[in-house]
Amino acid sequence: MDDHERPGQGRDRPVSVQQSQDTGRPVQLNWRMRIRRDRTLLLMTVPSIALLLVFNYAPLFGLATAFQDYDPLVGVWHSQWVGFDQFRQLFHDAQFWDSLKNTIYLSFVQLILFFPIPIVLALLLNTVLSTRVRNFIQSVVYLPHFFSWVLTITIFQQMLGGAGLLNQYLRSHGMSTWDIMTNPHTFALLVTSQAVWKEAGWGIIVFLAALAGINRELYEAAAADGAGRWRRMWHITLPGMRGVIVLMLVLRLGNALSVGFEQFLIQRDAVGHSSADVLDTFSFYYGIATNNYSYGAAAGLFKSVISLLLIWGANKLAHAFGEDGLYRK
Amino acid sequence: MTNTLSISPTRAGAAAQARGNKAGSARPPWEEPPTVVGQTVKGLTLIGVVAVVLVPIWIILVTSFSTPGAINRAGGLVIWPDGLTVEPYREMLLDPTVRTSLLVSLGITLIGTAVSMAVSVMCAYGLSRPRSFAHRFLLLLLIVTMFVNGGLIPTFLVVTDLGGYGKYWALILPSAVSVFNILILRAFYSETSGELIDAARLDGAGDWRILWSVVLPTSRAVTAVVALFYAVGYWNAFFNVMLYMPTDSQKWPLQYVLLTYVNRGVGLPGSVNAGFGSAHAQTAPLSLQMAVVVLTLIPLLIVYPFVQKHFRTGVLTGAIKG
């Protein structure tokens, strides 16, 4: 990967190895010498790489189970190959289509209702001139990002659930109660508001950074030209955020099939699987909970392949907008 | 939305003299003084945002310190303190399951974070030196895992094949390496001045020594942020427990206890006639449940203020330069 590089330019590689003793001029190092020179650095990466090989790369081979009738007793090597049978069965499974539909629908709702909020919040917060007020608000809105999903959902339950604060208030004022936590029809709104509560504050970080990076002289010049605050926002602030917005959108679209696994897993039983099952929970319940590993792996593989296509497509879209996206063209 | 773009502690009259003033609270020269309506709308919005986060936490906190009488009078959750007591906490910590789970959670978090940090710091430094052998290839190997993975079931099969079922290491090792965190660290380590490192090398320091005595001390802030990310990950994890030790309640960490006893409302095993898992188990009193909720929050609230101010640098370097 590195072989065309000229030695002797390593900013902090040992001087003695890279320069000839008598002439002080760079000498060509072959790969053996480079490995010897960098052996400590290479050694340092070994534990991480080893863990990734075992827990991230090895499971890639385990994807073979999607094409087998996997039997835990004999393992991947000796299980029977069944070709695309698992997928055929999957595509005839109404519950699979339900979970795919739910995934796409939930993802869409989250995109529409979640995505703009951090941007608006960042714009709003950016106009707060007092650093103390700003820092306070920031440290408060970042906080829920560090809560677990279990905790977040428990908090929602205590506030909005059947025995929660809202219904307690409704009951004591003689109104009919409204159990949001178990209602399949409003589930999409519920999970989106949970996601907003937990992550919207954290999401503003990148937008705030983009805002901080905008050249202040542009504002001054625009103001001198008579542009009011709304015109300045439209012509300076928003274009300044464009790159980051597109990048975030690409990431979001690429992850459209990962709507939030733990969140759904916890609430699935209360709401009912026909509206709360997404591809990830489908793969979990019909794979691990029923020991039908191959079936679950097939559902998982389906999701991964579509996700990769989505990332690729979203990135193309970003390039079409003249932005970098995840990687440069 | 608002029709003004600034909240400022300075009066409108101060705007004129703000030019050239570098203090963060000064009005920039191009800003008009805010209108009253805009100011109010913006202020209320921001207060609302802060309240949405803080009010539920406050209510849970107050309820956890309340006597059963106070909770009854309030008809459920307590909004304003009325008869405070630490009894729920005493009772909760007497429960063997909660106590064990607290220790398990602390253990997993401390050991897991230590393992993750050791492995990640080394890897990040190993890949941060310019023109070192194969660093581009190794970096690629790392980044690929961010986009391509075997998914839930193949990973589960690998871990169980290695004998991870029911073992604590299954809660740590599969998630020990976060490529995102390594990229954050690496971005910082790459910035450490080459002259500084050259000087250390001339003094006879090897790479281990340089990492320990030069690079780490100059990047304390980002190290703290990444350590917090890892620690929060371990502290919050419950799904791995569900996969690898769903039945053994003696090995559960706190989040799983929270899920079972509070979220799903199963009775605490310590309380009267409440055999775990039995459908007739008596649900724990609300104050006790809220005490468990608070318990999961405490470690975070202790660490958060120290690390919070470094978030921005940490996250951004990771997200943009990585």
Side-chain angles (χ1 to χ4, degrees):
Chain A
M1 286 275 143
D2 274 341
D3 11 36
H4 49 74
E5 285 184 20
R6 274 174 297 153
Q9 297 181 330
R11 223 175 30 161
D12 62 353
R13 298 285 78 211
V15 180
S16 57
V17 186
Q18 295 188 344
Q19 295 184 318
S20 151
Q21 294 289 337
D22 355 292
T23 60
R25 286 180 49 202
V27 288
Q28 194 72 38
L29 294 177
N30 64 28
W31 61 272
R32 261 171 219 264
M33 290 160 83
R34 295 180 66 219
I35 291 183
R36 246 179 79 89
R37 181 195 63 184
D38 294 333
R39 61 185 183 278
T40 322
L41 294 178
L42 291 169
L43 190 68
M44 284 176 172
T45 62
V46 167
S48 290
I49 300 282
L51 283 168
L52 288 179
L53 288 180
V54 174
F55 295 111
N56 292 74
Y57 281 97
L60 287 179
F61 296 100
L63 278 175
T65 50
F67 303 97
Q68 294 179 327
D69 189 8
Y70 178 77
D71 180 350
L73 293 178
V74 296
V76 182
W77 294 114
H78 300 102
S79 288
Q80 205 191 339
W81 292 92
V82 296
F84 286 93
D85 276 4
Q86 302 290 353
F87 291 92
R88 240 169 260 138
Q89 198 189 335
L90 205 60
F91 295 143
H92 286 104
D93 186 339
Q95 274 173 358
F96 170 75
W97 290 110
D98 274 350
S99 65
L100 181 62
K101 250 188 306 196
N102 287 338
T103 310
I104 293 169
Y105 172 62
L106 289 162
S107 193
F108 181 73
V109 173
Q110 294 209 4
L111 181 71
I112 303 290
L113 298 182
F114 183 116
F115 191 75
I117 291 180
I119 302 176
V120 173
L121 266 181
L123 283 174
L124 195 62
L125 206 56
N126 194 48
T127 64
V128 175
L129 291 179
S130 156
T131 9
R132 283 175 86 184
V133 175
R134 207 154 94 159
N135 286 342
F136 172 72
I137 297 176
Q138 270 172 275
S139 38
V140 170
V141 296
Y142 292 166
L143 193 59
H145 169 74
F146 296 96
F147 293 178
S148 66
W149 272 115
V150 182
L151 180 60
T152 306
I153 290 164
T154 305
I155 290 174
F156 263 75
Q157 206 172 37
Q158 295 305 326
M159 297 302 124
L160 306 176
L165 201 66
L166 175 75
N167 282 316
Q168 184 186 310
Y169 178 85
L170 291 177
R171 249 192 306 274
S172 64
H173 287 73
M175 286 178 267
S176 59
T177 56
W178 182 32
D179 193 354
I180 301 162
M181 298 299 286
T182 57
N183 186 345
H185 303 294
T186 50
F187 185 64
L189 291 178
L190 174 72
V191 289
T192 305
S193 50
Q194 286 166 348
V196 167
W197 190 81
K198 189 173 180 316
E199 301 295 347
W202 188 248
I204 67 178
I205 291 189
V206 284
F207 297 114
L208 281 179
L211 287 171
I214 298 174
N215 189 350
R216 318 212 96 202
E217 284 169 19
L218 289 176
Y219 286 105
E220 213 159 342
D225 288 346
R229 20 172 92 93
W230 289 108
R231 282 196 80 90
R232 289 197 300 265
M233 187 165 106
W234 186 250
H235 291 293
I236 299 172
T237 311
L238 285 178
M241 294 171 88
R242 194 177 127 129
V244 178
I245 293 177
V246 172
L247 175 67
M248 289 330 238
L249 204 55
V250 169
L251 287 173
R252 186 106 207 153
L253 291 174
N255 280 323
L257 295 189
S258 306
V259 271
F261 180 42
E262 301 197 345
Q263 194 186 358
F264 292 92
L265 197 63
I266 299 171
Q267 300 184 96
R268 177 184 181 271
D269 294 337
V271 180
H273 65 86
S274 61
S275 50
D277 244 346
V278 290
L279 286 177
D280 283 323
T281 52
F282 179 88
S283 172
F284 173 69
Y285 274 101
Y286 299 96
I288 288 176
T290 62
N291 286 344
N292 196 351
Y293 299 108
S294 287
Y295 200 49
L301 182 58
F302 173 82
K303 190 200 135 185
S304 306
V305 170
I306 305 284
S307 290
L308 265 184
L309 287 176
L310 282 173
I311 296 179
W312 179 78
N315 216 33
K316 281 260 175 256
L317 206 64
H319 290 162
F321 276 106
E323 297 289 345
D324 278 347
L326 284 182
Y327 52 86
R328 265 163 241 256
K329 200 162 15 176
Chain B
M1 267 289 295
T2 63
N3 61 358
T4 173
L5 285 172
S6 69
I7 279 186
S8 166
T10 55
R11 307 295 305 164
Q17 71 183 52
R19 184 179 285 268
N21 185 344
K22 279 193 203 145
S25 58
R27 180 169 300 287
W30 61 81
E31 278 290 1
E32 299 84 354
T35 64
V36 179
V37 178
Q39 193 83 325
T40 318
V41 171
K42 190 155 66 177
L44 288 177
T45 313
L46 288 172
I47 290 171
V49 168
V50 169
V52 163
V53 175
L54 290 187
V55 167
I57 300 174
W58 164 259
I59 291 174
I60 282 167
L61 193 70
V62 176
T63 308
S64 75
F65 281 105
S66 292
T67 56
I71 295 178
N72 271 337
R73 274 196 296 284
L77 294 157
V78 180
I79 296 164
W80 200 248
D82 165 27
L84 294 184
T85 167
V86 291
E87 188 59 25
Y89 286 88
R90 212 180 63 84
E91 214 176 305
M92 171 189 68
L93 290 173
L94 282 176
D95 182 277
T97 312
V98 174
R99 230 177 19 216
T100 321
S101 71
L102 180 63
L103 291 180
V104 169
S105 274
L106 285 174
I108 290 176
T109 305
L110 291 177
I111 296 172
T113 309
V115 170
S116 288
M117 283 309 283
V119 162
S120 310
V121 163
M122 286 196 304
C123 185
Y125 177 74
L127 298 177
S128 71
R129 297 297 100 213
R131 291 173 191 77
S132 71
F133 183 76
H135 77 279
R136 277 172 196 283
F137 169 71
L138 294 173
L139 207 54
L140 189 72
L141 209 58
L142 254 63
I143 290 172
V144 164
T145 64
M146 293 175 88
F147 298 100
V148 185
N149 58 67
L152 179 68
I153 297 203
T155 311
F156 172 80
L157 293 179
V158 166
V159 174
T160 44
D161 277 355
L162 292 173
Y165 198 83
K167 306 269 171 48
Y168 282 127
W169 69 254
L171 308 185
I172 295 178
L173 291 186
S175 52
V177 177
S178 151
V179 173
F180 181 75
N181 286 346
I182 291 183
L183 293 180
I184 296 181
L185 291 172
R186 180 182 171 271
F188 268 80
Y189 296 170
S190 309
E191 277 179 1
T192 309
S193 132
E195 285 93 55
L196 206 60
I197 289 178
D198 276 341
R201 213 178 282 287
L202 287 175
D203 287 343
D207 280 308
W208 293 106
R209 183 75 207 210
I210 291 172
L211 170 59
W212 187 255
S213 321
V214 179
V215 174
L216 270 181
T218 51
S219 47
R220 275 200 201 105
V222 72
T223 310
V225 172
V226 169
L228 177 78
F229 287 173
Y230 274 126
V232 165
Y234 285 114
W235 182 260
N236 283 345
F238 88 97
F239 180 59
N240 282 344
V241 187
M242 197 163 176
L243 279 181
Y244 302 119
M245 44 185 68
T247 50
D248 192 353
S249 67
Q250 281 308 300
K251 287 184 171 178
W252 284 354
L254 201 53
Q255 299 289 342
Y256 212 72
V257 170
L258 178 69
L259 178 71
T260 315
Y261 299 139
V262 182
N263 203 287
R264 303 225 157 120
V266 180
L268 283 166
S271 58
V272 210
N273 74 8
F276 164 70
S278 128
H280 306 290
Q282 204 169 35
T283 311
L286 192 66
S287 56
L288 214 136
Q289 292 185 23
M290 294 305 104
V292 177
V293 173
V294 175
L295 192 61
T296 63
L297 269 169
I298 290 173
L300 176 61
L301 296 182
I302 293 173
V303 184
Y304 189 72
F306 296 101
V307 184
Q308 185 266 327
K309 55 179 179 289
H310 303 301
F311 282 161
R312 230 188 84 170
T313 32
V315 177
L316 288 179
T317 343
I320 291 170
K321 286 188 201 146

